[in-house]
Amino acid sequence: MPEGATLAAAREQSGDAPWWKGATIYQIYPRSFLDTNGDGIGDLPGVIDGLAHIASLGVDAIWLSPFFTSPMDDYGYDVADYCDVDPMFGTLDDFDRLVARAHELGLKVIIDQVYSHTSYEHDWFKQSRVNRTNPKADWYVWANPKADGSPPNNWQSVFGGPSWAWDARRQQYYFHNFLREQPQLNVHNPEVQDALIAAAKFWLDRGVDGFRLDAINFSMHDRQLRDNPPSNMPMEKVTRPFDLQRHVYNMSQPEVPAFLERIRALLDTYEGVFTVAEIGGPDPIGEMKAFTEGDKRLNSAYNFDFLYAEKLVPSAVQKSLNQWHGGADEGWPSWAFSNHDAPRAVSRWAKPEDRKQAADALLLLLLGFRGNAFIYQGEELGLPQAHVPFEHLKDPEAIANWPRTLGRDGARTPIPWTSGADNSGFSTGEPWLPVDPAHDALSVEAQDKDPASSLNVTRSLMALRQSLPVLRLGDMAFLDAPEGVIAFERRWGNHTLLCVLNCSDSSVQYMPPDRNAYRIVADETGAVNGFVAVPEHIAGWSGYWAVPTDEDNRGTE
């Protein structure tokens, strides 16, 4: 059977649901995926070479983190040209070949769009800063100093320090939510919106299937430039000045949804385009709902509920998932346990000796959720957070706030492809970040040959999710369970699936109301810890998917 055919069959079984609903999406951080030219930096030809590996997992799509022209002050999230590939990653021809090969393998292609800010090296900013009267003078957020020369207000940047930088040419401050090298676009300006929408069209015309909108709730500011109120956060929890404010005015403005409707109007002229918003902040659910409401805005959104959580707590899982009730105009949630911005979940939540078992169990849980599942590169290998010595750090946020934050580099180290090879097969040159020696034994090559490896557990669980519409599309209801156990049912039509996970490190007694009425999905394949029947006791970091004994195993009738 051709690769991708099983995905097509599963989508047909799901009826009229769009391809992205219930999809599993594999995030690629190109710098660290695979280097083909020996410069120590992953590239688009490396992504092409690795697509067969990704397709073997059974995912629906890939999400490519930024590969655009950039000075790399924030490693690609500081865009200097929205419509070109940075030479370190390859060329537009390479990108076109990547899209073509992904589509051959049945994989959709999603790319980042960064609409909050650009690089200070973008031509738009170079022109904007020349004077106060040029055609792009109002394309960024500029403001006069106070009478004493201090910044216009008290806003603090995410990466530390004030959100305002002085520019001598205009004798004004410009606003930056992140690095001073990332000036804030004035997305209130319709001309800026037009330019960003034109950039999206450029990539749609090259065949991309969707966009992740980076930090989209940072895209608009309060035009009165009012001061943010204090957060009153206890100092022992503060990692940077940003934490000391409630971000009422520097972000999350009510005009954002109207801009999203303009984006959606373009996307609806293409077939089957998917959009997902990244929403940060302490209480993101309101914006997630607003940005995905109805059929004129985005399809989906995710937040940092799990990405920054120090522990996996069943009550917190239930709270997050229960915020999505499935109402008539409600969008569709997406979930991620790990990504390029957060320490790997298996290291945050499990002891070192439990990490293999926990990696498999966490995938069972994530794939059991109602919504889309984002899998970050290396998650299928069970990679723990890498150790990166201070002298090798590249992440500007980690360097600025050391040692109060773990930073992002430990989740961005190169993927190990071949155990024992130079740099674990990632590159023949010196990698931009060091390969963690602890990752070498967890390489793709080593795990591919081991039936019990995290890689092959991932493939098995992915295949089950693809074959069970109840997992892709079903409703979700939590069950009462003892401490440390997450238990819920998924329902779709006449079909039911039970998901149970013990996220503690010790055995817990738990049985569904009628244990004999359930059987493990596909025998032991739908379980982590080799269960062949629904158990009375669940070992630490173990779980299962089960269906009623009188129900068709596939849930496709």
Side-chain angles (χ1 to χ4, degrees):
M1 181 178 291
E3 293 182 82
T6 56
L7 296 187
R11 290 168 188 152
E12 287 179 8
Q13 294 164 357
S14 301
D16 295 330
W19 71 264
W20 51 262
K21 202 163 192 179
T24 50
I25 300 167
Y26 184 96
Q27 182 193 354
I28 300 172
Y29 190 72
R31 292 183 71 92
S32 298
F33 190 68
L34 181 60
D35 171 28
T36 61
N37 63 4
D39 65 357
I41 298 171
D43 45 45
L44 295 186
V47 174
I48 295 169
D49 289 351
L51 286 175
H53 162 68
I54 297 170
S56 80
L57 302 177
V59 300
D60 297 276
I62 60 171
W63 153 31
L64 277 173
S65 290
F67 51 85
F68 314 111
T69 305
S70 168
M72 301 296 162
D73 291 296
D74 192 24
Y75 293 94
Y77 286 92
D78 49 321
V79 179
D81 187 340
Y82 283 105
C83 297
D84 205 354
V85 175
D86 194 281
M88 73 170 57
F89 294 126
T91 65
L92 280 170
D93 285 344
D94 291 327
F95 180 81
D96 292 340
R97 290 193 300 113
L98 188 160
V99 171
R101 179 58 177 152
H103 288 168
E104 287 175 4
L105 293 169
L107 296 169
K108 304 289 187 179
V109 178
I110 298 163
I111 67 172
D112 261 317
Q113 295 287 271
V114 185
Y115 293 157
S116 169
H117 51 266
T118 69
S119 166
Y120 72 127
E121 292 191 7
H122 198 294
D123 285 342
W124 299 346
F125 186 69
K126 290 179 180 179
Q127 185 172 347
S128 185
R129 74 192 309 183
V130 168
N131 55 48
R132 303 187 189 189
T133 59
N134 70 81
K136 290 185 171 57
D138 194 35
W139 278 43
Y140 291 82
V141 182
W142 296 94
N144 292 326
K146 292 181 178 179
D148 62 0
S150 60
N153 59 30
N154 71 345
W155 296 350
Q156 297 291 309
S157 71
V158 173
F159 290 163
S163 284
W164 297 95
W166 178 253
D167 187 87
R169 298 168 182 80
R170 289 181 53 141
Q171 292 190 299
Q172 287 182 305
Y173 285 97
Y174 66 85
F175 174 43
H176 58 92
N177 265 311
F178 298 92
L179 295 174
R180 64 182 295 133
E181 292 86 2
Q182 294 171 295
Q184 185 79 14
L185 282 165
N186 181 15
V187 182
H188 291 291
N189 185 334
E191 291 182 358
V192 173
Q193 293 187 17
D194 290 345
L196 295 173
I197 290 169
K201 186 177 189 303
F202 174 87
W203 294 108
L204 290 167
D205 289 342
R206 300 193 92 91
V208 305
D209 303 289
F211 299 117
R212 169 193 173 268
L213 302 189
D214 178 73
I216 191 63
N217 56 333
F218 282 87
S219 62
M220 290 187 180
H221 65 289
D222 171 51
R223 284 181 277 193
Q224 297 180 51
L225 303 182
R226 287 170 283 186
D227 281 353
N228 280 329
S231 67
N232 299 315
M233 179 181 287
M235 283 305 296
E236 62 268 20
K237 295 185 178 180
V238 170
T239 62
R240 53 202 167 179
F242 183 82
D243 299 334
L244 293 168
Q245 296 183 351
R246 289 174 50 225
H247 299 283
V248 177
Y249 296 118
N250 66 300
M251 57 183 286
S252 301
Q253 296 304 293
E255 298 93 338
V256 174
F259 173 48
L260 300 181
E261 290 179 5
R262 290 199 64 199
I263 297 171
R264 179 64 181 267
L266 168 70
L267 304 184
D268 283 347
T269 65
Y270 296 78
E271 184 176 353
V273 177
F274 169 65
T275 49
V276 58
E278 177 199 40
I279 309 294
D283 189 22
I285 189 64
E287 288 182 299
M288 294 173 75
K289 294 288 188 72
F291 292 1
T292 60
E293 182 181 14
D295 59 1
K296 293 184 178 180
R297 297 177 183 175
L298 307 181
N299 303 123
S300 187
Y302 76 90
N303 62 26
F304 290 81
D305 281 0
F306 300 117
L307 290 168
Y308 287 167
E310 294 181 3
K311 297 180 180 179
L312 182 63
V313 180
S315 60
V317 172
Q318 186 166 343
K319 178 182 177 182
S320 292
L321 274 291
N322 278 345
Q323 290 174 325
W324 296 88
H325 306 293
D329 287 328
E330 185 178 87
W332 185 252
S334 290
W335 308 101
F337 288 166
S338 297
N339 74 10
H340 66 291
D341 275 335
R344 290 187 179 273
V346 72
S347 293
R348 282 182 281 126
W349 296 342
K351 296 177 180 177
E353 61 268 26
D354 295 331
R355 284 181 184 162
K356 196 292 182 184
Q357 187 73 13
D360 299 348
L362 289 174
L363 190 67
L364 179 105
L365 179 64
L366 180 61
L367 295 181
F369 284 172
R370 175 182 178 269
N372 296 335
F374 280 92
I375 310 297
Y376 180 50
Q377 65 181 39
E379 210 166 348
E380 78 277 19
L381 305 175
L383 295 186
Q385 181 79 351
H387 173 66
V388 182
F390 179 81
E391 61 270 21
H392 290 295
L393 288 178
K394 300 293 194 297
D395 177 15
E397 192 272 338
I399 294 168
N401 296 303
W402 178 269
R404 296 293 297 173
T405 63
L406 287 173
R408 300 172 292 180
D409 286 338
R412 297 178 174 185
T413 56
I415 293 296
W417 290 93
T418 307
S419 299
D422 290 344
N423 303 310
S424 298
F426 164 73
S427 175
T428 57
E430 182 178 355
W432 76 285
L433 279 174
V435 178
D436 191 324
H439 288 181
D440 187 70
L442 300 174
S443 72
V444 173
E445 169 262 343
Q447 294 201 38
D448 188 57
K449 297 180 289 189
D450 178 2
S453 69
S454 291
L455 175 57
N456 282 310
V457 169
T458 299
R459 289 167 173 162
S460 296
L461 293 176
M462 290 280 192
L464 283 177
R465 178 171 166 114
Q466 293 292 7
S467 68
L468 294 166
V470 67
L471 276 175
R472 290 178 64 97
L473 302 172
D475 295 332
M476 186 174 182
F478 282 89
L479 306 175
D480 291 335
E483 185 176 354
V485 173
I486 301 167
F488 54 85
E489 282 187 339
R490 302 291 308 279
R491 292 182 178 274
W492 182 74
N494 296 322
H495 302 286
T496 301
L497 182 139
L498 173 67
C499 179
V500 177
L501 179 81
N502 177 5
C503 62
S504 73
D505 55 11
S506 57
S507 180
V508 177
Q509 183 175 2
Y510 173 78
M511 292 181 292
D514 185 355
R515 179 167 65 100
N516 294 326
Y518 289 92
R519 58 185 171 81
I520 303 296
V521 175
D523 299 321
E524 75 277 7
T525 308
V528 173
N529 209 14
F531 300 129
V532 295
V534 174
E536 293 185 24
H537 292 82
I538 309 173
W541 290 112
S542 297
Y544 58 84
W545 293 335
V547 293
T549 53
D550 60 352
E551 185 174 306
D552 173 72
N553 195 41
R554 294 289 148 185
T556 59
E557 295 178 339

